[in-house]
Amino acid sequence: MWRLKIADGGNDPNMIYSTNNFVGRQTWEFDPDYGTPEQRSEVEAARKNYWKNRFQVRPSSDLLWRMQFLKEKGFKQTIRQVKVENEEEITYETATTAIKRATHFFSALQASDGHWPAENGGPLFLIPPLVMCLYITGHLETVFPEEYRKEMLRFIYCHQNEDGGWGLHVEAHSNMYCTVLNYICMRILGEGPDGGQDNACSRGRKWILDHGGVVSIPTWGKAWLSVYLAYLIGQDANQCPQSFGFFPLFFRYNQIFVSSRRAHHILKVCRRDRIALDLGRSCSTSKLWCFIRLIYMPMSYLYGKRFVAPISPLIVQLREELHTQPYNEINWKKVRHLCAKEDLYFPHLLIQDLVWDSIYIFTEPFLTRWPFNKLRKKALEITLKHIHYEDENSRYITIASVEKVLCMLACWVEDPYGNYFKKHLARLPDYIWIGEDGIKMQNYGSQVWDTSLGLEALLACQLTDEIGPTLMKGHDYLKKSQVRDNPSGDFRSMYRHISKGSWTFSDQDHGWQVSDCTAESLKCCLLLSVMPPEIVGEKIETEWMYDAINVLLSLQSKNGGLSAFEPAGTSKLLELLNPSEMFEDVFTEQQYVECTASVIDALVLFKKLQPGHRKQEIENVIRKAVQYFEDIQMPDGSWYGNWGICFTYATWFALRGLAAAGKTYHNCLAVRKAADFLLKLQLDDGGWGESYLSCLAKKFTPLEGNRSNLVHTAWTLMGLIHSGQAERDPTPLHRAAKLLINSQKEDGDFPQQEIAGASLKTCMIHFPNYRNIFPLWALAEYRQRVPLP
């Protein structure tokens, strides 16, 4: 039986290390002797129930660890369930009862080190590259014994669409990228061409062939299949690494190029306007968004090394299975830019294809021959230095899952028996998560994010006497998770920003600062700092708060918005070179409504409690941020959400930030427009529901059948409360609260519904704890700020 372990450092201290004794680390192990027959029966029932209803609710309910924790703690809900009848008013007592039930249930899910574990998955393109990588290196069966491989196959079967394909994420329509990757993954894991549950392989292969065959896979897929899987697609079709085969050279020397007068002259001649010049100035590797930078570093290293995996019998079979014509008859150059329409969200401009083709045709022949190959060799050395730097400063977690696999493979190519690769293997458990739908690879953990939001929800409940130990443990976790130092050495020369005083998305070992995680965690610590230390623990050190403020202030852009990871400001023209057809806005750091709102909220509270520290700077940041909200508000009164779905998410954040800055319905047009936008969308049952398709269309799209979603309802309820709706007309608030109360389950949990997180416009992220955090938080705000009988 599977068991979740907390703050466990593994079995090899020589290959894994931590900055805070692994606080926040969450890893799974299979123990054949763990659990009673009744517990095993419950797990199997959860699996069967998910399979039966997988097309109704696609995200898992993340039940395995929850069942484990509730059993270990002996949790049993003792507070009676409440329901509000149709014509009945919600009383203060009713709201309090629902809040207490949700609070006690959520508190029971807290881990021993103070954080709340959870899946952070959703995408269906993460596990296959990991399996491919370990297949190439020969470590698949060592790292993933039979029980792991069984659960990986379960996950693939569970998320196959009815048409036979797999989507970009668990709710998406089928596309070539994920269908091909998951088909190959099944074959590597031991399924035959016609194997798999419900004929999964034959159905998946039919989808691929019916949609043009594997040659139609987009750029990232061509990267994996043409180089790393021994020319499953011919090398000439390998658009991405061919395009970035120059990247190791570009990585080191493009800054020298664009700074020279001669280069500026060339760019001006090429284009008489300033577009080419701005693009040239933006092309420094340091200007790329950190995630994309850390994907193409190892990718370019692997291509620059001309790495190709050995051809195996399985590769030969896959060549026969996945092409619509014989492999040797395919004209690879003609399919270099081919992309299935199901994958095409961000089409390449003609100029981009010309740039990449020119690099491939004219540059590659020189860089593979003397004396120019000496230049490439030097560039590869520098690229590898950056890879090792990032690995060391993230304790070999790396920034996220895609980067993790690529960096691990690059280290193996450098030295198959070296410690760099072994250290990567030791950190693979940090990415593995198990639910009733099987094993999935996480994007990377959301421990800090979930814990900070969860603590804010609990603090809003005003039940300190009942949940003091929970608050103390959560407070302790946040204090131990704050990043204490900047990246090592001359971090700016390695394209890193300050991180001292920040919080990451996951745990301290991860090391990457995030603005909204820092802001929400700081706000929690500020709120807890004025509470009795004998109940919630000693307050955070003042200097640590100042360090956090320093990070936040450094991330505001000229337009007033806050970026997430690093300062923004690179020309948007660089997005013209985005080689990924599936994602948008991946090349440059952006400003985000959600991050900006979180930071405003934290700064306002900090200024109140620490009025003497950088007061003028903080006031200026808040003023500019408010202007940013007003400037980018949509004509209908909404804001676009980048990290959640979508307009309801961002509009709640914006209203929260504006309210913290003193803006109200009466003195701010933006607040009035936002409130009107939300009120128009309320459904007959009192809730709100928004489809993930809003993120793609950039236009509000309701859920199919005008269904409500409890998380979306909670966001909107809080947004309207921040707008002052209780003083104008509380009826919409009562209707929303009634839906939340009546939807609570017998044990105090809330049902899992549609996916709620988002990324890169097209890739949705699953946050199972949202179903507990946000309904609880919304009901707490409702009880506190809406008059009740």
Side-chain angles (χ1 to χ4, degrees), residues 466-530:
E466 298 184 28
I467 57 170
T470 300
L471 297 177
M472 179 178 285
K473 286 167 60 180
H475 190 194
D476 183 63
Y477 171 76
L478 288 183
K479 288 184 290 185
K480 289 178 178 177
S481 298
Q482 187 179 20
V483 177
R484 296 282 182 252
D485 297 294
N486 290 319
S488 62
D490 183 9
F491 60 89
R492 296 192 187 278
S493 71
M494 305 304 284
Y495 311 142
R496 288 293 298 267
H497 188 58
I498 59 173
S499 59
K500 183 180 180 181
S502 69
W503 276 268
T504 72
F505 189 62
S506 53
D507 56 21
Q508 189 186 81
D509 282 342
H510 182 263
W512 272 88
Q513 68 285 343
V514 190
S515 61
D516 53 359
C517 298
T518 300
E520 301 293 353
S521 298
L522 175 62
K523 183 182 177 184
C524 283
C525 290
L526 290 168
L527 291 170
L528 291 161
S529 72
V530 297

Side-chain angles (χ1 to χ4, degrees), residues 223-367:
W224 278 106
L225 302 189
S226 64
V227 175
Y228 314 140
L229 278 185
Y231 303 130
L232 179 57
I233 284 183
Q235 190 183 30
D236 286 332
N238 179 22
Q239 182 186 8
C240 182
Q242 296 284 10
S243 304
F244 280 82
F246 192 58
F247 200 69
L249 177 68
F250 174 82
F251 189 88
R252 175 65 181 87
Y253 296 107
N254 61 0
Q255 285 180 300
I256 299 173
F257 174 78
V258 299
S259 65
S260 68
R261 292 184 180 181
R262 177 62 178 164
H264 283 204
H265 173 70
I266 292 170
L267 290 168
K268 287 179 181 178
V269 169
C270 291
R271 293 289 298 272
R272 293 299 175 184
D273 57 23
R274 297 193 58 82
I275 293 178
L277 181 57
D278 289 343
L279 187 58
R281 285 172 175 166
S282 298
C283 280
S284 166
T285 305
S286 64
K287 300 295 185 181
L288 298 179
W289 189 42
C290 53
F291 283 88
I292 215 71
R293 183 171 75 236
L294 297 175
I295 286 174
Y296 286 119
M297 274 198 303
M299 189 179 287
S300 64
Y301 175 80
L302 292 166
Y303 180 74
K305 293 286 287 186
R306 315 299 288 176
F307 169 73
V308 179
I311 296 177
S312 66
L314 176 59
I315 297 301
V316 175
Q317 293 173 34
L318 289 170
R319 286 179 177 179
E320 297 175 356
E321 294 169 17
L322 298 180
H323 290 294
T324 58
Q325 65 183 105
Y327 179 84
N328 292 330
E329 296 178 12
I330 299 172
N331 186 333
W332 298 110
K333 292 182 180 179
K334 286 189 175 181
V335 300
R336 276 174 51 77
H337 302 299
L338 196 60
C339 180
K341 63 178 175 35
E342 291 80 9
D343 299 66
L344 194 59
Y345 180 73
F346 189 84
H348 289 178
L349 298 176
L350 177 61
I351 187 173
Q352 183 184 155
D353 288 340
L354 289 173
V355 168
W356 300 146
D357 286 345
S358 298
I359 291 174
Y360 170 60
I361 294 169
F362 299 113
T363 306
E364 281 300 301
F366 289 100
L367 291 175

Side-chain angles (χ1 to χ4, degrees), residues 68-75 107-112 473:
Q68 173 191 331
F69 275 33
L70 295 176
K71 185 72 173 178
E72 289 175 350
K73 297 180 181 182
F75 174 79
S107 296
L109 297 178
Q110 189 179 34
S112 57
K473 286 167 60 180

Side-chain angles (χ1 to χ4, degrees), residues 2-4 34 64-72:
W2 293 97
R3 175 168 57 187
L4 182 64
Y34 176 70
L64 268 60
W65 75 270
R66 289 169 172 244
M67 294 162 68
Q68 173 191 331
F69 275 33
L70 295 176
K71 185 72 173 178
E72 289 175 350

Side-chain angles (χ1 to χ4, degrees), residues 98-118:
I99 290 168
K100 284 187 174 183
R101 297 178 75 252
T103 297
H104 289 189
F105 179 84
F106 187 58
S107 296
L109 297 178
Q110 189 179 34
S112 57
D113 64 359
H115 85 278
W116 274 267

Side-chain angles (χ1 to χ4, degrees), residues 758-774:
S759 175
L760 305 177
K761 304 291 192 292
T762 60
C763 187
M764 305 304 126
I765 310 297
H766 184 31
F767 291 89
N769 281 338
Y770 277 14
R771 75 174 189 265
N772 301 106
I773 293 169
F774 289 112

